[in-house]
Amino acid sequence: GAVVSQHPSWVICKSGTSVKIECRSLDFQATTMFWYRQFPKQSLMLMATSNEGSKATYEQGVEKDKFLINHASLTLSTLTVTSAHPEDSSFYICSAGTSGRGDEQFFGPGTRLTVL
Amino acid sequence: SQKIEQNSEALNIQEGKTATLTCNYTNYSPAYLQWYRQDPGRGPVFLLLIRENEKEKRKERLKVTFDTTLKQSLFHITASQPADSATYLCALNDYKLSFGAGTTVTVRA
């Protein structure tokens, strides 16, 4: 199956700093990438959908100025958490699909962010 | 409001038995329903997709049913093994993929 990687797998940062998470589709071209957040024992919550070369579409309640998403190529999307605070600590997971509707999404291994 | 409910947070079963997980939804009209497996600290892994016009889908020891009248999907793991221990998530496609909170299955040897 298709492989999606994320980097880093975990990161610890100080409050107020920015953190960038990369999501790469390794063996296919992803027209659409999705960013999710998961708190312990909760479901994955979609944060935003990004299509290559266009602006991301954010879900209601997600601050687009805080969670910057760039989808510069068909194999790379980045999520930057700006001015991170402890409440941003979570498990961030990206997925990639080949259609906007997302028949099957291929998920990355996730990035654990801890903000001190 | 829209809601996806998975029957229980945890399910403990003996090796060799069948695990049955339930996913109920309200206020969705999904074109498809998917099941994923998630291991601790890892991203979900796709298992099965079933479309609204399909009643049942099988893949090896896994079986999924989809009843759009009841707004329910059942996920069965037959001849369960300790390696099947994980959290299983159902997800609905309408304009986006929406997940349930998952059921954690523990298979005892």
Side-chain angles (χ1 to χ4, degrees):
Chain A
V3 179
V4 175
S5 70
Q6 277 184 247
H7 179 80
S9 54
W10 59 270
V11 56
I12 301 172
C13 69
K14 291 183 179 179
S15 187
T17 60
S18 294
V19 174
K20 182 185 281 189
I21 302 170
E22 289 187 350
C23 176
R24 292 181 185 273
S25 58
L26 299 185
D27 51 2
F28 70 103
Q29 294 186 326
T31 52
T32 308
M33 285 186 168
F34 306 86
W35 286 96
Y36 294 84
R37 182 167 50 182
Q38 186 178 33
F39 293 105
K41 295 195 181 294
Q42 294 188 25
S43 62
L44 280 77
M45 297 299 296
L46 180 65
M47 298 175 66
T49 302
S50 72
N51 293 295
E52 183 261 344
S54 61
K55 287 186 179 180
T57 303
Y58 290 80
E59 294 299 302
Q60 194 171 13
V62 178
E63 299 174 60
K64 62 181 180 182
D65 294 330
K66 181 169 184 62
F67 298 100
L68 301 179
I69 290 171
N70 184 280
H71 192 164
S73 76
L74 286 171
T75 59
L76 174 65
S77 176
T78 60
L79 167 69
T80 302
V81 183
T82 61
S83 187
H85 291 286
E87 58 265 30
D88 298 324
S89 299
S90 188
F91 193 49
Y92 291 87
I93 308 172
C94 73
S95 71
T98 53
S99 73
R101 193 68 193 269
D103 277 357
E104 178 181 343
Q105 293 183 23
F106 304 97
F107 284 82
T111 297
R112 172 74 58 193
L113 170 63
T114 302
V115 184
L116 303 176
Chain B
S1 62
Q2 293 181 316
K3 201 183 294 184
I4 302 170
E5 291 182 324
Q6 295 193 235
N7 57 319
S8 59
E9 196 174 306
L11 183 66
N12 296 306
I13 60 168
Q14 186 71 39
E15 183 176 8
K17 301 292 186 184
T18 296
T20 299
L21 285 62
T22 305
C23 177
N24 295 292
Y25 60 92
T26 53
N27 294 323
Y28 282 96
S29 297
Y32 357 88
L33 186 146
Q34 303 181 32
W35 284 89
Y36 288 80
R37 169 183 173 139
Q38 187 176 25
D39 291 288
R42 307 291 294 175
V45 174
F46 172 79
L47 295 175
L48 281 165
L49 178 152
I50 187 165
R51 299 178 191 277
E52 59 181 339
N53 61 347
E54 296 175 316
K55 295 292 185 188
E56 182 179 297
K57 205 89 171 269
R58 290 176 186 261
K59 179 182 174 183
E60 298 173 353
R61 294 182 294 108
L62 307 179
K63 185 178 88 171
V64 172
T65 62
F66 190 14
D67 188 325
T68 55
T69 303
L70 291 178
K71 297 186 184 297
Q72 181 182 80
S73 174
L74 299 179
F75 178 80
H76 306 273
I77 308 172
T78 60
S80 60
Q81 303 168 0
D84 296 327
S85 298
T87 296
Y88 293 86
L89 309 170
C90 74
L92 305 181
N93 277 97
D94 39 29
Y95 80 96
K96 65 178 182 181
L97 202 56
S98 299
F99 285 85
T103 297
T104 298
V105 174
T106 303
V107 182
R108 303 187 309 275

